Amino acid sequence: MNRHLISAADLSRDDALLVLDTADELARISDRPIKKLPTLRGRTVVNLFFEDSTRTRISFEAAAKRLSADVINFSAKGSSVAKGESLKDTALTLEAMGADAVVIRHNASGAPHRLAEWVRGSVINAGDGAHEHPTQALLDAFTIRRRFGRSSGSGTGPPGAGRGRGGALDGLRVTIVGDILHSRVARSNVLLLHTLGAEVLLVAPPTLLPVAVDAWPCSVGYDLDAALPKSDVVMMLRLQQERMNAAFFPSVREYSRRYGLDSARMAQLPERAIVMHPGPMNRGVEIAAGVADSPRSTVVEQVANGVSVRMAVLYLLLGGAEADQ
């Protein structure tokens, strides 16, 4: 793997499978009475969040602590950033503190890439603007793989041993529905799922699709009802109205009628199909409460799997190379 994880495009097929297989091994720790490993003892991980977050920040914090790393949580609110300090000056401060890894979430696309130029430690993108969120895509792929029984880890040997084609997502049909235009999750998922062999379909109103979506490795549709019977996985995205500065659809009610997943629409899915959502959910808008809480929903699993996947990323970026020598 590279020293940083800024984009899902940074991951080759082998890199992605290595992360997923390593996460498979590390997930076993959650079943132990003591859920910690000494792998990153003495290392410092900084959570540098310029945007509000609950799931992602706590997930990274839990992952680092389970690997025995020291964790520093840095929030832009109440810090020198609120006084006008630049990202570069903040980066130099972190560098002086000896941060081994910086997990950054920023409202500006490209911020993690710039940060990687200023610090010697590893940089992990936890979401930048409407650009990417690679660890979310990894945990989504991990969840899909487990639900469809495609985990290739043997349970013995070092993390990542025994990888093979069976551990990928070849041939699975994944439909991503909703606000693609403002979604960093959608972009990262399209890139990673394509790398792992899945067929990805984006379904949204034309106004909520990016201008250059034709260049993405996926197909595009506008009719949710036509897509559902052919989908193995349906991933619902929330409307990011905080990022909208224009009227992209007539009303929320109209959007929900055309693109919301309710019980009637879920009945159109194949028997083994699953429903995903990266959260936070707008119940009653893009997803009905009954669907979100159904056995076919993986929403809670995605949160739990996020810790294992982020442990794997931290292990491979900070500890894996030394451990394999």
Side-chain angles (χ1 to χ4, degrees):
M1 285 182 64
N2 297 328
R3 184 161 62 96
H4 309 295
L5 179 56
I6 295 172
S7 167
D10 296 339
L11 298 169
S12 67
R13 183 181 172 99
D14 284 342
D15 287 339
L17 288 174
L18 176 61
V19 173
L20 298 183
D21 289 339
T22 303
D24 224 9
E25 299 290 339
L26 292 172
R28 303 173 191 274
I29 295 173
S30 62
D31 298 326
R32 299 179 183 178
I34 299 177
K35 300 176 175 60
K36 294 196 76 169
L37 289 174
T39 311
L40 299 185
R41 183 176 296 158
R43 300 297 189 98
T44 300
V45 176
V46 177
N47 288 330
L48 181 61
F49 278 61
F50 290 83
E51 281 188 331
D52 293 336
S53 171
T54 300
R55 292 168 183 78
T56 303
R57 183 183 61 78
I58 292 176
S59 182
F60 268 110
E61 183 176 357
K65 287 183 175 179
R66 288 187 184 182
L67 293 172
S68 300
D70 297 318
V71 180
I72 299 173
N73 289 316
F74 180 102
S75 174
K77 293 179 180 179
S79 71
S80 295
V81 173
K83 302 175 183 177
E85 183 174 77
S86 68
L87 177 61
K88 183 173 184 178
D89 289 331
T90 301
L92 295 176
T93 300
L94 299 177
E95 182 72 8
M97 293 179 179
D100 296 293
V102 180
V103 180
I104 178 172
R105 168 168 288 197
H106 202 285
N107 56 7
S109 299
H113 178 76
R114 295 305 305 272
L115 182 66
E117 298 174 352
W118 299 324
V119 298
R120 283 174 291 181
S122 296
V123 174
I124 301 171
N125 183 3
D128 61 327
H131 180 224
E132 283 211 45
H133 194 351
T135 60
Q136 179 69 45
L138 283 165
L139 74 88
D140 290 340
F142 182 76
T143 303
I144 295 170
R145 203 170 74 147
R146 282 199 147 191
R147 274 290 184 120
F148 284 89
R150 297 195 176 199
S151 297
S152 59
S154 62
T156 60
R163 296 196 315 278
R165 186 174 177 83
L169 306 179
D170 297 288
L172 284 179
R173 297 163 298 183
V174 181
T175 300
I176 303 177
V177 186
D179 186 0
I180 310 295
L181 178 63
H182 302 100
S183 177
R184 50 198 174 204
V185 173
R187 186 185 298 268
S188 288
N189 263 295
V190 167
L191 294 171
L192 183 66
L193 292 171
H194 173 73
T195 298
L196 291 172
E199 300 172 12
V200 183
L201 169 65
L202 302 179
V203 176
T207 53
L208 289 179
L209 289 168
V211 173
V213 72
D214 291 341
W216 293 17
C218 62
S219 53
V220 176
Y222 309 103
D223 188 345
L224 178 57
D225 291 305
L228 293 176
K230 299 177 286 185
S231 301
D232 298 305
V233 179
V234 178
M235 184 181 300
M236 306 304 297
L237 304 175
R238 75 180 180 89
L239 290 174
Q240 298 189 39
Q241 298 191 58
E242 72 277 8
R243 299 183 189 273
M244 296 182 184
N245 54 9
F248 290 90
F249 43 83
S251 67
V252 172
R253 183 177 179 181
E254 176 66 12
Y255 173 87
S256 182
R257 188 181 69 82
R258 290 283 307 274
Y259 295 98
L261 186 63
D262 56 18
S263 298
R265 281 201 166 109
M266 189 169 71
Q268 300 179 43
L269 290 169
E271 185 177 349
R272 291 189 64 207
I274 60 174
V275 177
M276 307 185 74
H277 197 302
M281 294 183 290
N282 290 323
R283 291 175 181 248
V285 180
E286 75 273 4
I287 189 167
V291 175
D293 298 329
S294 74
R296 302 174 76 176
S297 168
T298 66
V299 175
V300 176
E301 289 173 50
Q302 288 170 263
V303 175
N305 291 339
V307 177
S308 300
V309 166
R310 285 160 180 144
M311 285 176 69
V313 169
L314 290 169
Y315 166 79
L316 292 169
L317 291 180
L318 298 183
E322 293 183 1
D324 293 339
Q325 289 177 357

